[in-house]
Amino acid sequence: DYTTPEIPETVTEETVKEIKDMFWQIFREFCFSDTRGEDSIDYQNILAAFVSLVIRPMWRGALPILTVSKSSVQCGGTLLESVLGCLAMGVSVTPQTFPGSRAELEKTINSIIANRNRYCILDNVPSGADWVTTNLLTLSTGTGETTFRKLGTNENITSEACTMFAVNGINLDIRADVTRRINPVRLVLNGRWQDSTHHTVTGDELRHNAVKLHPLAVWAVAVLHKYWIQKGKPAPHECAGNVSEYKEWYYEVCGMLEAAGYTHILDNLRDLQTLDNDADAETAGFLNALWERFGKIPFTPTDLTRIILAEGERRKREGEPGVFLPYLDEEIVTAAIHGTLSA
């Protein structure tokens, strides 16, 4: 049922508030690393991704890649990107399992491009894996037009940007040259999303609710766009990070959302872009993991060793990657798995 209200002649602040409440009712179920509710940078970045997916068929040129970096396995990254698709498109998109080889990854991305899919979720990227192919980098740059050879033939295919890509993984590795092409979100949860007391519905119910809300959500985007025009199309605040690849997108999408009161979009981008090498990124990731686990509470090497040993036991028993193990040397990981690690 695509019946929606008429777009009002004059959009009031009350209507904007009702729209914002509707969006929050869906996305409040997720454990964003920035815990400021509707003022969360992660949440507002998700809204920018949602609007981007709604307008993807009409938008000429590249869009930033949505990246969802998770603190642990099953903390809601896949579900978040799935719900985003349900809300924006009215259908559930099956995530693409991350391929086991670079060649297979290239084939997967090229197949998505050739099929002109509107939305692609690259699911559960292993920690440390390089998930950015040449064509994915090209699609997220400039006009987004790319050329590649059709699988099994000598025929070349030239494709304009028509897909919005979303990627998720535990402590997702993001190279320095990719940080200018992403819309970053971070989820933090100690355990599985479905076992937490944070959410009020199941994952299936959340997808169903998002599909049901789809017509109203698209209507809401049109209303917020009219509200932005009504206010004189104000530009958003200057982004601290580098958004030079997406100046028009940042002006229109982020400007529209900022006019509605979302004033923190991409405020986390500069921090990512200043991590200019893999060693720095890994160190920052490890420090973030420590902060998320201990915060301001003092801890000793013995405390950390106990946690790492527990992660080693879970990896041995269940294959769970862990929060800290992906950052540690192989010898330490092996000792943790065998239970021989000491402080």
Side-chain angles (χ1 to χ4, degrees):
D1 183 5
Y2 272 72
T3 303
T4 61
E6 292 288 332
I7 296 176
E9 285 292 328
T10 301
V11 182
T12 64
E13 291 186 8
E14 182 181 359
T15 299
V16 171
K17 183 181 183 306
E18 290 172 355
I19 288 172
K20 293 173 70 174
D21 288 344
M22 177 186 68
F23 287 147
W24 181 239
Q25 288 301 311
I26 289 287
F27 292 112
R28 70 176 182 174
E29 301 291 332
F30 296 95
C31 297
F32 298 114
S33 66
D34 181 353
T35 57
R36 293 180 294 169
E38 293 182 72
D39 286 331
S40 161
I41 299 170
D42 299 303
Y43 168 59
Q44 295 190 10
N45 287 358
I46 280 292
L47 289 183
F50 161 71
V51 173
S52 300
L53 188 51
V54 169
I55 67 173
R56 175 68 278 183
M58 301 168 282
W59 189 264
R60 294 186 62 84
L63 291 174
I65 303 164
L66 172 64
T67 60
V68 176
S69 183
K70 308 178 289 187
S71 65
S72 61
V73 68
Q74 295 184 348
C75 77
T78 304
L79 179 62
L80 174 60
E81 293 179 340
S82 177
V83 167
L84 177 71
C86 291
L87 192 64
M89 299 166 56
V91 295
S92 183
V93 173
T94 302
Q96 297 286 326
T97 302
F98 189 79
S101 69
R102 184 73 181 180
E104 287 301 317
L105 177 59
E106 292 276 3
K107 289 178 184 177
T108 297
I109 297 297
N110 290 351
S111 175
I112 294 294
I113 299 169
N115 291 332
R116 301 182 63 81
N117 293 14
R118 180 171 166 187
Y119 186 41
C120 173
I121 301 172
L122 198 57
D123 196 29
N124 287 323
V125 176
S127 183
D130 182 3
W131 49 269
V132 183
T133 69
T134 301
N135 277 331
L136 183 53
L137 206 58
T138 303
L139 279 170
S140 57
T141 306
T143 64
E145 186 175 282
T146 185
T147 301
F148 59 95
R149 183 170 295 176
K150 186 177 180 180
L151 186 64
T153 73
N154 291 322
E155 178 187 352
N156 284 336
I157 296 177
T158 298
S159 176
E160 62 184 10
C162 56
T163 304
M164 191 181 99
F165 285 88
V167 184
N168 69 77
I170 296 173
N171 300 317
L172 195 64
D173 186 44
I174 302 174
R175 299 193 325 241
D177 61 325
V178 182
T179 58
R180 293 184 293 109
R181 297 172 172 87
I182 63 170
N183 176 2
V185 172
R186 173 78 171 163
L187 296 180
V188 175
L189 182 63
N190 186 20
R192 303 189 308 167
W193 180 87
Q194 59 265 43
D195 294 335
S196 77
T197 58
H198 179 83
H199 63 84
T200 60
V201 295
T202 67
D204 286 342
E205 287 171 337
L206 197 52
R207 290 187 188 92
H208 174 78
N209 293 344
V211 168
K212 190 175 178 180
L213 273 175
H214 162 67
L216 197 57
V218 173
W219 169 87
V221 172
V223 172
L224 292 184
H225 187 262
K226 184 168 185 177
Y227 186 66
W228 177 58
I229 295 173
Q230 189 176 294
K231 296 186 75 172
K233 294 185 178 181
H237 69 285
E238 184 177 353
C239 184
N242 184 345
V243 290
S244 59
E245 295 287 351
Y246 311 104
K247 288 182 179 178
E248 187 177 354
W249 171 85
Y250 186 71
Y251 169 66
E252 294 202 20
V253 172
C254 301
M256 180 188 81
L257 288 171
E258 187 161 317
Y262 298 111
T263 59
H264 301 294
I265 300 171
L266 296 184
D267 278 0
N268 55 351
L269 191 58
R270 183 178 182 277
D271 289 342
L272 277 174
Q273 291 176 344
T274 55
L275 301 175
D276 55 8
N277 59 58
D278 290 342
D280 283 345
E282 287 195 5
T283 300
F286 184 73
L287 292 175
N288 284 336
L290 284 174
W291 175 257
E292 288 160 7
R293 177 62 180 83
F294 294 102
K296 296 181 179 180
I297 301 172
F299 65 93
T300 66
T302 301
D303 295 328
L304 184 56
T305 300
R306 190 179 300 115
I307 293 171
I308 292 170
L309 281 168
E311 288 191 0
E313 177 62 24
R314 287 195 295 273
R315 179 177 289 194
K316 179 181 179 180
R317 188 174 62 249
E318 303 169 4
E320 186 175 317
V323 175
F324 293 101
L325 290 183
Y327 296 107
L328 303 177
D329 292 337
E330 192 61 36
E331 290 182 2
I332 297 177
V333 173
T334 301
I337 292 173
H338 293 156
T340 59
L341 183 67
S342 60

